[in-house]
Amino acid sequence: MKIYINGEFYEKSDARISVFDHGVLYGDGIFEGIRAYNGRIFHLDDHLRRLQDSANAVLLKLPLSLKEIEKAVIETVRLNGLKDAYIRLVVTRGIGDLGLDMRKCKGGATLFIIADKIELYPDEFYEKGLTLVTSTIRQKGLDQVTPSVKSLNYLANIMARAEATAAGAQEAIMLNAQGHVSECSGDNIFFAKDGKIFTPPTSAGILVGITRQVVMMLCERKLGVKVVERNFPRYDLYSADEVFLTGTGAEVIAAVKIDGRTIGKGAAGPLTRQLIKHFREYAASTGTPVYDAVGAKAKA
Ligand code: PXG
């Protein structure tokens, strides 16, 4: 495996960053998790735009232009010979002394990119659905660094996921300070009731998922249903016809048991099944080409 760090490629065993990197010392940095399907990188522009938005929000200057980062991402996938991949793009504040002051990181940001095989939920979960529990860990408030920033501070999400695991569930729902449903530890959440589909708004404190945006588009274009963004309590999930999650790793997946309650008929419902199918078709038909792009350049 070849890993990109600040413009160079390293073998996995040699891919290291400094213990003085503020990404390690303070979780001071941002990231993106991106998929490639059959040699094409899914919604790369949207991921790069979100990276830029996260960077701006935390006063982080990206070390390269988005165009240069795009090239580095493509090159990392290409060098690893991957067609289906999970790409982790991380930008940290860089190397500094001990101390919170970001001005200590004089050398500028650290950028690294890992392209690996993706670990997915087993197929049966797409039929049977996931089990969720509500976490005791609250979503970060909007008056903190908003959850819309995909920052390296994932401890709350990791603790929430650990609660799910301890309860025999696959994912954890996080409520915000108002008690509204925000999202899961690594996925956005939707529910369907009487043919309508709902999801929490950005103002509930969510990561504005790329998959969430794509699924909202597919709901409108393929199902003819415009998703309503509104705040809702857990009760709306318990009494829903269908609940499903969206995320880069999970794509679209049903949730059929929540806090011990069975949702709908207790298996992936008709809308969720259609969305899983439409999402897979869409993912197979779009994306930034990894191999064509480089081939075309080589010929030019
Ligand atoms: N909320 C949170 C908190 C996330 O971390 C999503 C929603 C979904 O966003 P996207 O843009 O992926 O649709 C995420 C993304 C992993 C993994 O390794 C986690 C995510 C993405 C990719 C891999 O568990 N979370």
Side-chain angles (χ1 to χ4, degrees), residues 134-254:
T134 303
S135 172
T136 62
I137 312 271
R138 291 282 167 141
Q139 177 63 290
K140 290 187 283 285
L142 300 174
D143 50 353
Q144 302 175 42
V145 176
T146 160
S148 299
V149 173
K150 202 163 168 65
S151 85
L152 292 182
N153 296 231
Y154 253 57
L155 259 186
N157 305 53
I158 289 165
M159 292 301 116
R161 180 70 65 89
E163 288 186 342
T165 305
Q170 289 80 41
E171 252 291 21
I173 297 169
M174 299 179 82
L175 304 179
N176 63 23
Q178 288 71 43
H180 294 135
V181 171
S182 64
E183 60 179 344
C184 291
S185 69
D187 297 287
N188 291 113
I189 191 162
F190 292 70
F191 77 89
K193 177 86 173 175
D194 298 332
K196 298 198 183 85
I197 303 178
F198 302 87
T199 196
T202 313
S203 58
I206 60 165
L207 183 76
V208 185
I210 307 297
T211 321
R212 174 184 181 273
Q213 298 304 111
V214 167
V215 165
M216 288 170 79
M217 179 272 285
L218 292 173
C219 284
E220 194 162 349
R221 291 208 197 144
K222 300 286 184 184
L223 307 184
V225 181
K226 191 165 166 29
V227 175
V228 178
E229 294 178 77
R230 71 156 167 82
N231 286 308
F232 56 84
R234 270 183 299 174
Y235 171 80
D236 287 5
L237 298 177
Y238 298 159
S239 56
D241 299 327
E242 300 182 35
V243 173
F244 61 88
L245 310 184
T246 66
T248 294
E251 302 179 335
V252 181
I253 195 161

